[in-house]
Amino acid sequence: MKAAPFFILLAGILWGTTGTTQALAPDSAHPIAIGATRLAVGGVFLLLLLLIRKDLRLKGWPLKATLVAALSMACYQPLFFSAVSITGVAVGTVVAIGSAPVLSGLIEWFYSNKRPSIIWWCSTFLSILGCVLLFLNKESASLNITGIFMALGAGLSFACYTLASRGLVEKYSSLSAVAVVFILSALFLSPLLFLFDMSWFTSLRGIGVSLQLGVMATGLAYFLFAKGLAHVSSSTAVTLALAEPLTATMLGVLVVGEKLTMTSWSGISLLLIGIGILIWSTRDVSRKSEIVTIEK
């Protein structure tokens, strides 16, 4: 499917709106509570779509893969937000997002005995280097070892979610797979909603932020990610998802009025080159597969 990489890119773009959206949340909204709320709203949104389309088939559903995906996504939220709060936005984001593609490639190599290609390694290296340069001058670094490990845990959680989800979307519709996983993830994180002040959720701004994060940046984004994941490897999908920090940075420039240094612009260029190489290689593989199919 030629459009698969672009579905994942669009998902990354939607994820990139979360930082700007969270900045608009009421002051009383705790980041971990926002993370739990976005999963709950996203899960309910996906479930409603599933019921409307009457696409829910649970017979023979793979329980193990579903639990791994749901637990991984549930762990990602508090780990990432805690890492960012401890070690800073720049370091936490770079370690979490930058480690995810490498960990995904290694897990896929070990789990599926599928060695990542040279092109993947090159594009991933360029993309991660781009992320590092992008966040290098954003703030003073605070290398807290606990925060670093939490960020690595977040990267590992996203890599595990991607690998487990790929097994689901190969057998079931993308909507079914994402809806079931996110409903379970929301249930796993629901106790957190009782530990934080949730009065912000009832305000107009709180409702708007929750809907944007839950419906667009979670429900729709992960549906598109799963739709693309059905046709590309998990390691490729995680690298393409690095469009997230690129989008977040550009929104900061266009919406918030942030100024970028030459180092940051160099990071953007490397990110675009790395993602472009991966899209080109993915489309080239798809074209060769179509030729082989026609010849047969």
Side-chain angles (χ1 to χ4, degrees):
M1 186 180 182
K2 292 182 179 180
F6 295 101
F7 285 141
I8 296 171
L9 273 180
L10 185 54
I13 291 171
L14 289 172
W15 289 331
T17 66
T18 57
T20 303
T21 304
Q22 286 181 28
L24 300 175
D27 295 335
S28 60
H30 193 281
I32 294 180
I34 293 176
T37 301
R38 84 181 266 205
L39 277 188
V41 174
V44 171
F45 167 72
L46 290 166
L47 182 61
L48 288 175
L49 283 182
L50 201 59
L51 294 175
I52 290 171
R53 292 184 57 178
K54 298 179 180 179
D55 195 23
L56 184 60
R57 294 181 293 106
L58 294 177
K59 186 176 181 181
W61 194 275
L63 184 60
K64 183 179 178 181
T66 304
L67 286 175
V68 170
L71 283 171
S72 297
M73 185 47 57
C75 289
Y76 175 82
Q77 304 294 328
L79 281 172
F80 178 75
F81 288 121
S82 297
V84 165
S85 65
I86 292 173
T87 198
V89 175
V91 175
T93 303
V94 166
V95 174
I97 294 179
S99 65
V102 177
L103 291 170
S104 178
L106 293 175
I107 292 171
E108 189 176 55
W109 189 357
F110 176 79
Y111 183 78
S112 305
N113 199 26
K114 184 179 180 182
R115 181 182 299 180
S117 66
I118 297 297
I119 291 178
W120 178 85
W121 283 111
C122 290
S123 63
T124 299
F125 173 76
L126 289 173
S127 300
I128 293 174
L129 181 58
C131 283
V132 172
L133 293 177
L134 194 59
F135 287 98
L136 194 60
N137 295 326
K138 285 218 165 185
E139 60 178 44
S140 58
S142 175
L143 297 178
N144 183 287
I145 191 66
T146 302
I148 295 295
F149 274 111
M150 284 188 170
L152 287 172
L156 179 61
S157 296
F158 186 68
C160 290
Y161 162 79
T162 304
L163 187 63
S165 293
R166 194 171 196 284
L168 294 176
V169 296
E170 286 176 346
K171 299 178 181 178
Y172 299 91
S173 71
S174 301
L175 181 59
S176 298
V178 178
V180 171
V181 167
F182 272 79
I183 284 294
L184 282 177
S185 297
L187 290 175
F188 290 147
L189 285 187
S190 59
L192 293 177
L193 297 176
F194 299 96
L195 299 178
F196 298 96
D197 177 19
M198 294 299 296
S199 59
W200 62 271
F201 181 73
T202 57
S203 67
L204 285 177
R205 191 194 299 181
I207 292 173
V209 166
S210 300
L211 288 175
Q212 161 62 21
L213 288 176
V215 175
M216 300 299 293
T218 302
L220 180 58
Y222 277 97
F223 167 67
L224 290 170
F225 183 74
K227 200 169 183 63
L229 188 61
H231 302 280
V232 301
S233 67
S234 58
S235 54
T236 296
V238 176
T239 299
L240 288 172
L242 291 176
E244 176 184 354
L246 178 63
T247 302
T249 301
M250 295 312 297
L251 281 176
V253 172
L254 298 174
V255 178
V256 184
E258 294 180 354
K259 302 294 183 183
L260 296 182
T261 63
M262 281 302 297
T263 304
S264 297
W265 284 113
S266 298
I268 290 175
S269 300
L270 289 176
L271 255 173
L272 289 173
I273 292 170
I275 291 173
I277 289 173
L278 204 55
I279 291 177
W280 172 80
S281 65
T282 303
R283 288 171 66 86
D284 192 48
V285 169
S286 299
R287 189 161 51 247
K288 287 179 181 178
S289 298
E290 289 177 1
I291 292 172
V292 171
T293 302
I294 292 172
E295 289 177 349
K296 287 182 178 178

